[in-house]
Amino acid sequence: MKGRIIIISAPSGCGKSTIINEIMNRGNVEMHFSVSATNRAPRPGETDGINYHFMTDDEFRRAIADDEFIEYEEVYPGRFYGTLKSEVENRCRNGQTVVLDIDVKGGLRVKEMYGDKARSIYIMPPSVEELRRRLESRATDSAEAINERVNKAEYELSFAPRYDVRVVNDDLATAVNDAEREIAQFIAG
Ligand code: ADP
Ligand code: 5GP
């Protein structure tokens, strides 16, 4: 059995977490979510160790110094996110499939590192206006954070052609089916 990496990227609010959770709940494909580390504050409803390993600035710096990351990025000014070796490497060696929710720069870097062992999937919003509506109705970010995320979306969308596949998240069930099919084919191949 070969270990595989599924890379999922998209601007914030496009539905990455929703789609990953739905595929994992369905249980048709066996994959493990890689819980990233971040120094951002937990949102209401987020749990340490489940959504992220929430770290202080110092803890994050120490993890960098101790070489604990496969990659990390400053995705927003002062806010760092990183993929921990401890979430990925053993599972891959054991032939398991690991799914990463990761920003565009990190996603391309991991694809470069893992080559054919990784499949990169870009979740596209129907439009940037719809993206803003979803972030507003998710109601987990301040108006300032929503503006920051929407403003960054156009830049992030310019990375979509460099991913292996693109899935449009307009109708959620269709997007989940498309992403699930893509992952199942990759694992089987
Ligand atoms: P991300 O993980 O990419 O930041 P989320 O999965 O948190 O995005 O989705 C952002 C918001 O949009 C959530 O409130 C989610 O319920 C909603 N959402 C996701 N997909 C759809 C869809 N196809 N149609 C409408 N709302 C959606
Ligand atoms: P959020 O704050 O909305 O949870 O995530 C913000 C961004 O950080 C998203 O684009 C998400 O994919 C990205 N992200 C989450 N974990 C990682 C990681 O481990 N590495 C990198 N490079 N980006 C990450």
Side-chain angles (χ1 to χ4, degrees), residues 20-31 176-177 179-181 183-185 187:
I20 293 170
N21 287 337
E22 179 58 23
I23 293 174
M24 298 195 61
N25 286 341
R26 284 184 182 184
N28 298 329
V29 289
E30 197 180 330
M31 55 186 199
V176 172
N177 288 338
E180 187 183 58
R181 190 178 331 107
I183 294 168
Q185 278 171 1
I187 295 174

Side-chain angles (χ1 to χ4, degrees), residues 43-78:
R43 294 187 185 123
E46 285 184 331
T47 308
D48 187 37
I50 302 249
N51 304 96
Y52 283 104
H53 296 287
F54 292 102
M55 292 184 176
T56 62
D57 294 355
D58 274 353
E59 286 168 338
F60 203 98
R61 265 194 289 272
R62 202 170 317 125
I64 294 172
D66 291 346
D67 199 24
E68 288 180 24
F69 291 116
I70 290 173
E71 64 74 42
Y72 68 90
E73 290 287 340
E74 185 176 7
V75 180
Y76 302 104

Side-chain angles (χ1 to χ4, degrees), residues 8-13 16-17 33-38 40-41 43 46 51-52 69 71-76 79-84 100-107 109 135 138 141 149 152 156:
I8 310 269
S9 296
S12 181
K16 289 181 298 293
S17 316
F33 182 67
S34 164
V35 180
S36 295
T38 183
R40 85 149 159 74
R43 294 187 185 123
E46 285 184 331
N51 304 96
Y52 283 104
F69 291 116
E71 64 74 42
Y72 68 90
E73 290 287 340
E74 185 176 7
V75 180
Y76 302 104
R79 260 159 302 143
F80 289 82
Y81 298 78
T83 308
L84 291 160
L100 310 184
D101 174 338
I102 185 168
D103 89 307
V104 288
K105 285 192 191 160
R109 173 116 36 87
L135 284 170
R138 188 171 72 182
D141 297 278
R149 279 154 198 267
K152 199 171 176 193
E156 291 170 318

Side-chain angles (χ1 to χ4, degrees), residues 10-19 21 43 101 123 126 130-131 133-135 137-140 149 169-173 175:
S12 181
C14 286
K16 289 181 298 293
S17 316
T18 308
I19 290 171
N21 287 337
R43 294 187 185 123
D101 174 338
I123 310 291
E130 172 61 16
L131 181 61
R133 273 193 291 277
R134 287 184 193 172
L135 284 170
S137 59
R138 188 171 72 182
T140 53
R149 279 154 198 267
N169 181 19
D170 188 354
D171 173 61
L172 180 60

